[in-house]
Amino acid sequence: MVKTKSLAILVLLGVMGSLVVIYYFPSDTNKVKRRFALLAQWASKDPDEKALATAQKLKKIGALFDEKNRLQVPSQEISGTFSREEIVAFAARIRLAFSQLHIKFYDIIVTFPKEKKVQVTLTARLTGKWPSGENVDETRELICTLNKVEDEWLFSEFEVVEVLKK
Amino acid sequence: MEPTYGHGGINFIWRLGYTFSGLKRYDVVAVRLAGSKVMLLKRVVALGGEWVEFREGKLFIDGKKMDESYVHYPGNWTLPPRQVDKGSVYVVGDNRNMPMESHYFGQTSLSRIVGVPLW
């Protein structure tokens, strides 16, 4: 009986130790996934969001991006390199266009093509409402690149995969 | 793909549908939109190398007007001719009674074709 209890305590300690290590010393893959979770959280908008909250979220979004960023959205004919400030302004315009906006990322596949660079393929789902009340529900595949700058993974490239080309 | 397939419906996809035979015009296929789960059902209207065009809602392939008996809600789309790349097909939904800009259709790589709906 004592042996069983000791074993159970050891197993519990082992699990707790593993969780602490994962939480405080996450792998680069988990750090990258966390960046996407933060981007989704801060890009999303509730209908009753206050101006101060909007400003804080936009500032936080800016901190997720590198100084120069490449955007490619073929369906909107957007292609080019944008500064961090331009990305924030772009995010502000998109958020303003919606009365409600929720972004979620799925199917995140992380690969490391070279040191301090990561490429991520994922599914992005955007749901929300236009100010007119009309619902929006769009899903797209994205390819993103992040650079490691001073131990932080920063977004540097976003490409919306063009599955159907008119 | 309305009215052939209802929006948001559940369909089973036969992944081996093109193992022994190639894609044919008018086949309905599942196109992988994102990840491994998000699919679109579309109809193949043109194959690699062919020219596709819409004139006042009518489909033309290599300049020849095509019969589209499955289109119950025709529209008035006009799309200048374009050649489908080799290794690709041109897919369109059956519901044409909506603005062309809002309809998700076009050329897609064969590698994006997952299979065919079972019914």
Side-chain angles (χ1 to χ4, degrees):
Chain A
M1 187 66 181
V2 175
K3 271 188 178 176
T4 310
K5 272 188 180 174
S6 301
L7 189 64
I9 289 168
L10 276 175
V11 169
L12 192 63
L13 284 173
V15 170
M16 285 172 67
S18 303
L19 289 175
V20 166
V21 168
I22 289 168
Y23 186 80
Y24 287 104
F25 305 99
S27 66
D28 274 333
T29 300
N30 286 336
K31 283 181 184 173
V32 167
K33 286 183 177 178
R34 178 76 183 139
R35 303 306 269 186
F36 280 95
L38 290 173
L39 180 62
Q41 182 185 336
W42 294 332
S44 296
K45 175 185 177 183
D46 290 325
D48 55 351
E49 185 177 279
K50 301 283 185 286
L52 184 62
T54 301
Q56 285 175 339
K57 281 184 171 183
L58 288 171
K59 190 179 171 188
K60 287 176 177 175
I61 288 172
L64 293 175
F65 284 80
D66 209 340
E67 286 177 16
K68 291 285 174 198
N69 301 275
R70 193 178 67 84
L71 276 187
Q72 202 169 344
V73 189
S75 62
Q76 305 297 316
E77 294 180 354
I78 296 172
S79 179
T81 303
F82 301 88
S83 68
R84 181 182 290 150
E85 292 72 26
E86 286 172 316
I87 293 289
V88 171
F90 189 58
R93 282 203 300 277
I94 291 174
R95 295 178 94 257
L96 195 63
F98 293 91
S99 59
Q100 191 177 336
L101 178 66
H102 291 285
I103 294 174
K104 283 192 175 178
F105 298 117
Y106 304 92
D107 309 326
I108 298 175
I109 299 169
V110 181
T111 53
F112 294 86
K114 57 182 177 180
E115 201 182 355
K116 297 191 173 185
K117 190 176 275 289
V118 63
Q119 191 174 62
V120 184
T121 305
L122 69 151
T123 301
R125 185 176 182 199
L126 183 155
T127 54
K129 278 187 178 177
W130 298 111
S132 62
E134 194 182 344
N135 288 322
V136 180
D137 190 346
E138 292 286 334
T139 303
R140 293 288 182 273
E141 186 169 295
L142 306 182
I143 298 174
C144 306
T145 302
L146 292 87
N147 295 328
K148 197 170 195 178
V149 182
E150 295 174 2
D151 212 34
E152 292 274 4
W153 285 105
L154 300 178
F155 292 105
S156 66
E157 290 180 30
F158 267 84
E159 180 188 345
V160 178
V161 176
E162 191 176 37
V163 176
L164 296 173
K165 183 183 171 188
K166 278 182 181 148
Chain B
M1 276 297 289
E2 290 178 344
T4 314
Y5 292 95
H7 182 70
I10 294 175
N11 298 94
F12 289 91
I13 302 300
W14 174 238
R15 284 180 174 267
L16 302 178
Y18 296 110
T19 306
F20 304 109
S21 63
L23 277 173
K24 298 186 300 295
R25 193 185 329 281
Y26 302 139
D27 282 349
V28 175
V29 293
V31 181
R32 190 175 66 80
L33 178 64
S36 57
K37 299 170 198 140
V38 187
M39 307 282 166
L40 293 171
L41 283 180
K42 296 286 172 189
R43 193 179 295 273
V44 175
V45 297
L47 307 171
E50 293 182 330
W51 287 82
V52 60
E53 176 187 6
F54 282 100
R55 292 183 211 159
E56 294 294 323
K58 306 293 182 200
L59 172 70
F60 288 77
I61 302 295
D62 291 336
K64 185 183 161 197
K65 188 179 163 191
M66 307 302 290
D67 175 35
E68 290 193 289
S69 55
Y70 47 81
V71 175
H72 298 290
Y73 306 128
N76 59 352
W77 297 359
T78 294
L79 186 78
R82 62 218 44 222
Q83 190 173 28
V84 182
D85 291 343
K86 295 282 181 195
S88 298
V89 289
Y90 206 89
V91 296
V92 188
D94 289 355
N95 183 9
R96 311 283 171 81
N97 189 20
M98 62 194 302
M100 193 176 77
E101 295 72 26
S102 313
H103 192 106
Y104 206 40
F105 71 97
Q107 173 180 295
T108 191
S109 166
L110 286 171
S111 63
R112 285 268 170 184
I113 307 289
V114 175
V116 295
L118 276 177
W119 58 80

